[in-house]
């Protein structure tokens, strides 16, 4: 019996209560009754195994690196090699191979994690098609989790476009065809009435961040239905890699209420519900059940991030749940925060304060109006002017032209604050000529809309026009970096949503910045979690923007950049987390007391480390 337990079940038990003993022995008995197969335990019925909440040994980076690999059971032989949370592949030492019955199951060579990383990067660079790189990275994540995150952290500038925009857009479009192993939770209309039960099917209990989408507005690609799961999976990979949130505490969720995409409905490989989208009461009831179940199952302090919902649902969901749940909409609030940071930094290059500038947006959806509102709040904070006044410096153009007061009655509610007094103007070019903005921001989701005439008009009355082409993926960008620098004769301050290569113009090389939400949401999430915040406040978003802008150094400005490089993203995230947490404590929204003395140091100490553990 002792040999059996040693080979098949390694349970580290800190026995505190008789009830815990009974649960553990019941599991052992269950294992033996199942003929000695490795135990698949339902942790809903199991107490504390190792004296820590983190059953994967993923505690903060300062934790002792010497552990015994286990989840609820296991950790020897073939099963260990198939467990992505503990598998190290060829990095298992000879001693570990003997201790965990791996002899003969691996080739004799022993590789360091660094050598494994070098080999994988060599292999990834052989692929010419970005989607192949994406699939290889997803396969690695399902095979060796720590190596996946080590690879992503150490090569973030090269791999970020692979695991997220722009490649994730193509991955979502083809998700049914490339689907192999399910990631995250799929909650469809079939699960209505039993969502709490579905949440309990997820093996991890200590969830801190949920990213949820209903797939209706994936990037600039439209309704991709159930195949939008690539977005929550990608976002949460960045929460871990860039913000240090433990993988086991992250939960990707897709709410499947159908799709209006005829191509998908007729696609034999489509993986979602084959029906038109549910709307109205049926939709609202499903979301209400989901939000209630999340709070019931994971508690008050789980952060729910809404991702890629269509405008008509995004604003309503954020307004409805922001007072009762810890919720954050990355398209509305995250995009706003990262763009505001870029604008604050750009002031070093163009001069003046935010209040001295005039802003014109192409696009009045959740991204555009979210950015506009945060800019207005920051100007109000700086000048003490009422926000109703500061909004008047910001103008928006939608598909019907400039948003003006004469259109107010026909506007959606989120556009009405931006309906200012002005004669009607139909197109973007006419709006640029009439208003003479200093900053032009694209959030329309429509490519090639910053035409040569529009950009040249901006350059005609601005020495250094600020042009932000934010729409994703690359094909939907309002203009390319090359177009912006060429049409402004190298004078513009340019940033985009998707990355562009450096541009050479008149013998000078211009490096454009990327207004990527990945600068903000990982650090923001870490700050919310480590402070135990119970609600998100607008001032926390302003704090995140200001912190990011502060980290742009003179060497970056000298290159025309308004964002720091991603190479130091974990340090950037730690500083953002510290500012967000400080604001949460200041506002009385933090529940983790007492407040740490050094919040930056505390943030870094909380971060997940992808370095391999040494197994006993």
């Amino acid at each position: 019996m002792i040999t059996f337990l040693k080979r098949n079940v390694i349970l580290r038990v800190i026995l505190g209560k008789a009830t815990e003993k009974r649960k553990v022995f019941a599991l052992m008995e269950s294992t033996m009754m199942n003929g000695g197969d490795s135990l698949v335990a339902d942790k809903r019925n199991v107490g504390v195994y190792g004296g820590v909440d983190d059953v994967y040994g993923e505690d903060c980076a300062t934790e002792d690196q010497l552990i015994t690999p286990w989840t609820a059971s296991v950790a020897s032989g073939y099963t260990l090699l198939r467990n992505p949370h503990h598998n190290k592949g060829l990095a298992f030492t000879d001693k570990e191979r003997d201790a965990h019955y791996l002899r003969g199951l691996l080739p004799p060579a022993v590789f360091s994690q660094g050598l494994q990383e070098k080999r994988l990067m060599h292999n990834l660079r052989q692929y010419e098609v970005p989607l192949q790189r994406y699939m290889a990275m997803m396969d690695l994540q399902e095979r060796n989790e720590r190596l996946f995150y080590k690879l992503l952290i150490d090569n973030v500038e090269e791999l970020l476009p692979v695991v997220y925009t722009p490649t994730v857009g193509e991955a979502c479009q083809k998700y049914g065809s490339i689907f192999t192993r399910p990631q995250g939770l799929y909650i469809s209309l079939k699960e209505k009435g039993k969502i709490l039960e579905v949440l309990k099917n997820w093996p991890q209990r200590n969830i801190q961040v949920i990213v949820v989408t209903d797939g209706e507005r994936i990037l600039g690609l439209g309704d991709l239905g159930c195949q939008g799961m690539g977005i929550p999976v990608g976002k949460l990979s960045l929460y871990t890699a860039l913000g240090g949130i433990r993988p086991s505490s992250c939960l990707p969720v897709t709410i499947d209420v159908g799709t209006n995409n005829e191509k998908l409905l007729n696609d034999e490989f489509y993986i979602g519900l084959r029906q038109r989208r549910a709307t109205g009461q049926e939709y609202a009831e499903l979301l209400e059940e989901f939000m209630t179940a999340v709070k019931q199952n994971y508690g008050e302090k789980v952060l729910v991030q809404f991702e890629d919902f269509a405008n008509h649902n995004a604003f309503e969901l954020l307004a409805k749940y922001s007072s009762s749940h810890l919720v954050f909409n990355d398209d509305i609030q995250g995009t706003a925060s990262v763009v505001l940071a870029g604008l604050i930094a750009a002031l070093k290059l163009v001069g003046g304060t935010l209040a001295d500038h005039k802003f014109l947006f192409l696009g009045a959806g959740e991204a555009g109006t979210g950015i506009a509102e945060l800019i207005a709040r920051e100007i109000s904070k700086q000048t003490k002017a009422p926000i109703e006044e500061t909004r008047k410096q910001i103008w928006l153009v939608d598909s019907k032209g400039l948003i003006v007061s004469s259109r107010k009655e026909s506007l959606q509610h989120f556009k009405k604050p931006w309906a200012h007094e002005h004669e009607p103007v139909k197109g973007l070019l006419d709006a640029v000529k009439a208003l003479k903005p200093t900053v032009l921001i694209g959030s329309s989701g429509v490519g090639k809309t910053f035409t040569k005439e529009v950009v040249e008009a901006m350059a005609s009355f601005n020495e250094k026009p600020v042009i932000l082409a934010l729409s994703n993926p690359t094909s939907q960008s309002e203009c390319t970096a090359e177009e912006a620098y060429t049409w402004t004769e190298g004078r513009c301050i340019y940033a985009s949503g998707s990355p562009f290569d450096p541009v050479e113009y008149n013998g000078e090389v211009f490096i454009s910045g990327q207004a990527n939400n990945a600068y903000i949401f990982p650090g923001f999430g870490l700050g919310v979690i480590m402070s135990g915040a119970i609600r998100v406040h607008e001032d926390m978003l302003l704090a995140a923007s200001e912190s990011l802008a502060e980290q742009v150094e003179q060497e970056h400005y000298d290159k025309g950049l308004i964002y720091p490089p991603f190479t130091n993203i974990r340090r950037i995230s730690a500083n953002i987390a510290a500012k967000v947490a400080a604001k949460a404590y200041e506002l009385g929204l933090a529940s983790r007391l007492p407040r740490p003395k050094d919040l930056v140091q505390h943030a870094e100490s909380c971060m997940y480390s992808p370095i391999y553990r040494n197994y006993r």
Side-chain angles (χ1 to χ4, degrees):
M1 178 177 173
I2 292 174
T3 303
F4 167 80
L5 289 174
K6 179 180 178 182
R7 292 179 64 95
N8 293 282
V9 184
I10 298 176
L11 294 171
R12 295 172 59 212
V13 184
I14 293 181
L15 298 175
K17 298 179 181 179
T19 53
E20 301 303 331
K21 290 183 182 179
R22 285 196 295 271
K23 289 176 181 176
V24 170
F25 288 128
L27 284 169
M28 292 179 178
E29 182 181 5
S30 171
T31 305
M32 293 192 293
M33 289 174 66
N34 286 325
D37 294 330
S38 60
L39 175 63
V40 179
D42 182 348
K43 287 188 288 298
R44 284 174 278 175
N45 300 317
V46 183
V48 177
Y49 289 94
V52 294
D53 290 334
D54 173 22
V55 297
Y56 281 165
E58 295 171 354
D59 326 273
C60 61
T62 56
E63 217 35 54
D64 178 12
Q65 293 290 301
L66 187 65
I67 68 161
T68 297
W70 50 271
T71 53
S73 68
V74 198
S76 62
Y78 196 75
T79 308
L80 177 55
L81 296 179
R82 293 297 181 270
N83 186 324
H85 311 295
H86 298 304
N87 178 34
K88 300 197 292 184
L90 289 176
F92 281 112
T93 65
D94 286 332
K95 184 178 178 182
E96 289 171 334
R97 295 180 192 201
D98 286 333
H100 298 289
Y101 306 95
L102 298 172
R103 281 289 174 188
L105 301 182
L106 290 165
V110 177
F111 283 13
S112 67
Q113 193 177 25
L115 185 57
Q116 287 179 308
E117 189 178 346
K118 180 179 179 182
R119 180 172 64 91
L120 282 166
M121 286 306 300
H122 171 77
N123 291 342
L124 283 171
R125 288 166 182 152
Q126 305 309 304
Y127 293 119
E128 294 183 2
V129 179
L131 187 61
Q132 292 176 325
R133 295 193 192 99
Y134 174 89
M135 293 171 67
M137 286 295 289
M138 293 303 102
D139 178 65
L140 176 61
Q141 188 177 21
E142 290 300 312
R143 188 175 73 249
N144 185 333
E145 188 175 77
R146 286 184 182 271
L147 186 55
F148 169 83
Y149 285 112
K150 185 73 164 57
L151 203 69
L152 183 51
I153 291 167
D154 291 348
N155 304 274
V156 63
E157 290 191 309
E158 184 173 350
L159 294 181
L160 187 61
V162 174
V163 300
Y164 202 60
T165 53
T167 310
V168 74
E170 183 183 0
C172 287
Q173 288 177 308
K174 300 175 180 177
Y175 211 75
S177 299
I178 67 174
F179 181 83
T180 53
R181 189 172 176 180
Q183 294 175 293
L185 271 181
Y186 294 85
I187 297 174
S188 73
L189 289 169
K190 290 182 177 181
E191 283 70 59
K192 191 174 182 182
K194 46 190 175 183
I195 292 179
L196 181 59
E197 183 182 333
V198 172
L199 290 179
K200 289 181 177 179
N201 287 342
W202 187 250
Q204 305 313 318
R205 310 300 302 138
N206 185 26
I207 298 300
Q208 295 176 312
V209 184
I210 293 172
V211 176
V212 58
T213 186
D214 71 352
E216 190 169 4
R217 192 201 59 82
I218 299 298
L219 302 176
L221 303 172
D223 186 351
L224 298 184
C226 190
Q227 297 189 169
M229 178 59 95
I231 298 296
V233 169
K235 285 279 184 181
L236 287 169
S237 296
L238 301 186
Y239 260 112
T240 296
L242 313 187
I245 309 298
R246 292 196 318 269
S248 63
S249 68
C250 297
L251 174 58
V253 176
T254 289
I255 304 286
D256 185 0
V257 295
T259 179
N260 294 334
N261 187 323
E262 292 293 342
K263 185 178 178 181
L264 291 179
L265 290 173
N266 295 319
D267 183 353
E268 63 178 326
F269 298 132
Y270 181 56
I271 59 175
L273 289 178
R274 293 181 184 275
Q275 64 175 63
R276 308 287 296 181
R277 276 190 173 272
T279 58
Q281 186 176 351
E282 186 178 19
Y283 179 90
E285 287 175 355
L286 189 71
L287 267 293
E288 174 67 22
E289 184 186 349
F290 170 71
M291 294 301 293
T292 302
V294 161
K295 199 168 179 179
Q296 184 176 344
N297 204 44
Y298 301 121
E300 183 85 11
K301 291 180 286 188
V302 61
L303 175 62
V304 179
Q305 177 172 311
F306 296 120
E307 193 70 37
D308 286 356
F309 285 77
N311 290 339
H312 55 274
N313 289 321
F315 288 100
E316 186 175 331
L317 289 170
L318 186 60
K320 182 176 181 179
Y321 292 108
S322 59
S323 60
S324 60
H325 291 67
L326 183 65
V327 294
F328 170 71
N329 186 302
D330 191 43
D331 304 299
I332 298 173
Q333 297 169 300
T335 303
S337 189
V338 76
V339 172
L340 176 59
L343 294 173
I344 293 171
L347 296 176
K348 291 279 185 73
L349 297 171
V350 299
T353 65
L354 282 178
D356 297 325
H357 290 269
K358 186 182 288 185
F359 306 86
L360 178 62
F361 286 76
L362 177 63
E366 53 195 284
T369 56
I371 299 165
E373 183 67 13
L374 204 63
I375 293 171
R377 286 187 180 278
E378 180 68 12
I379 296 173
S380 177
K381 176 184 170 184
Q382 292 177 4
T383 63
K384 309 301 180 188
I387 194 165
E388 293 77 15
E389 289 299 313
T390 61
R391 286 180 181 138
K392 292 178 181 177
Q393 294 171 236
I394 304 167
W395 298 80
L396 279 69
V397 172
D398 64 7
S399 59
K400 295 183 174 132
L402 188 66
I403 294 177
V404 293
S405 54
S406 60
R407 293 178 53 196
K408 201 162 189 175
E409 292 304 314
S410 63
L411 292 172
Q412 294 164 286
H413 68 91
F414 54 87
K415 295 182 182 181
K416 290 185 178 181
W418 312 103
H420 309 317
E421 287 293 334
H422 197 281
E423 61 189 31
V425 177
K426 281 199 172 180
L428 177 63
L429 179 59
D430 291 336
V432 168
K433 290 178 177 178
L435 296 170
K436 293 184 169 50
T438 54
V439 179
L440 180 63
I441 300 174
S443 60
S444 61
V446 182
K448 306 299 180 184
T449 44
F450 288 178
T451 62
K452 185 180 183 198
E453 292 77 17
V454 167
V455 174
E456 286 181 342
M458 285 291 296
S460 68
F461 47 77
N462 289 300
E463 178 60 30
K464 291 184 176 181
V466 178
I467 298 173
L468 305 182
L470 303 177
S471 294
N472 284 314
T474 310
S475 60
Q476 305 305 112
S477 186
E478 285 79 7
C479 70
T480 67
E482 183 176 13
E483 289 168 342
Y485 290 121
T486 301
W487 295 337
T488 62
E489 300 175 328
R491 290 188 284 117
C492 72
I493 309 300
Y494 176 85
S496 56
S498 291
F500 284 103
D501 292 331
V503 175
E504 184 175 347
Y505 177 79
N506 276 357
E508 189 175 354
V509 176
F510 296 89
I511 303 173
S512 62
Q514 188 183 356
N516 193 318
N517 291 19
Y519 276 116
I520 290 290
F521 70 80
F524 184 85
L526 178 61
V528 166
I529 290 168
M530 75 184 206
S531 64
I534 57 172
R535 297 289 180 271
V536 169
H537 191 281
E538 291 286 350
D539 286 353
M540 293 158 70
L541 296 167
L542 295 178
S545 297
E546 291 162 5
S547 175
L548 179 57
E550 288 168 3
Q551 296 178 77
V552 185
E553 299 176 358
Q554 189 58 49
E555 62 180 293
H556 308 139
Y557 287 124
D558 291 342
K559 297 175 183 176
L561 292 170
I562 54 176
Y563 293 101
F566 265 106
T567 47
N568 201 24
I569 186 61
R570 278 205 154 197
R571 178 69 181 177
I572 293 168
S573 293
N575 280 286
I576 290 172
K579 285 290 180 70
V580 170
K583 184 58 68 173
Y585 282 107
E586 180 187 324
L587 295 169
L589 295 173
S591 64
R592 296 193 191 279
L593 301 172
R595 169 182 165 160
K597 290 182 180 178
D598 188 330
L599 286 169
V600 175
Q601 186 180 56
H602 182 65
E604 290 177 333
S605 74
C606 287
M607 286 182 166
Y608 162 80
S609 170
I611 302 298
Y612 286 147
R613 299 297 180 90
N614 297 313
Y615 298 160
R616 295 188 181 95

